[in-house]
Amino acid sequence: MNSPVTCFLIDDDEDDQELFTLALKKVDPTLTCVVADDCGEAIQKLREEDAFMPQFIFLDLNMPRMHGKQCLMELKKIARIEHIPIIIYTTSSEPKDIHETKALGATDFLTKPPLISTLTTRLAKLLFNQPMA
């Protein structure tokens, strides 16, 4: 990997933010995680900060003020990030949510696992397309 990979996590739950960041560091200590606590903050950052260009966006569905599906639609309107994979990262495992978010342009759907080891393995596969050793 030539330059450090930055993941942008949009999630209002501090515990989930911490677990996600820890799992990323276990996958690769050079990975960076930038967090937005809600969709409005995330959309503003992506629209206004041209220097900020994450390689992956992880988006929770169940958030206050703006639901993740609505946020996904707004993110898809930002031309400069159209090539960035948006992975839904949520407690839901409902087939309806999976289908709807993929129809709206989500690249993948990751249900929040109960164990950090499971999250680490899934992130390694998503980010590097390989299983953890």
Side-chain angles (χ1 to χ4, degrees):
M1 202 175 334
N2 296 345
S3 60
V5 172
T6 299
C7 294
F8 189 31
L9 174 64
I10 307 166
D11 194 325
D12 65 314
D13 187 293
E14 287 183 22
D15 291 335
D16 286 341
Q17 293 171 0
E18 186 176 336
L19 284 174
F20 187 89
T21 303
L22 286 171
L24 270 185
K25 291 297 179 188
K26 286 184 177 215
V27 170
D28 183 338
T30 67
L31 292 170
T32 301
C33 184
V34 176
V35 176
D37 293 321
D38 65 49
C39 293
E41 176 187 336
I43 291 165
Q44 181 177 358
K45 184 172 187 67
L46 289 165
R47 282 188 177 145
E48 295 177 5
E49 295 182 27
D50 290 338
F52 180 62
M53 187 62 76
Q55 284 73 32
F56 296 91
I57 297 172
F58 289 84
L59 173 61
D60 188 19
L61 288 183
N62 301 310
M63 288 187 287
R65 291 182 288 285
M66 183 186 292
H67 191 272
K69 290 176 189 174
Q70 184 181 358
C71 184
L72 176 60
M73 289 187 288
E74 292 302 312
L75 292 173
K76 286 300 191 178
K77 294 176 186 176
I78 304 172
R80 73 178 196 88
I81 65 163
E82 65 187 0
H83 66 284
I84 298 174
I86 301 175
I87 297 119
I88 302 302
Y89 177 64
T90 184
T91 55
S92 173
S93 59
E94 291 293 322
K96 178 182 179 216
D97 286 333
I98 296 169
H99 176 75
E100 285 178 0
T101 55
K102 287 196 173 181
L104 292 171
T107 308
D108 213 330
F109 193 99
L110 175 61
T111 300
K112 294 178 181 178
L115 301 174
I116 193 167
S117 59
T118 306
L119 178 57
T120 303
T121 301
R122 290 183 183 163
L123 286 174
K125 184 158 181 54
L126 273 171
L127 299 176
F128 302 112
N129 203 20
Q130 61 189 20
M132 282 292 289

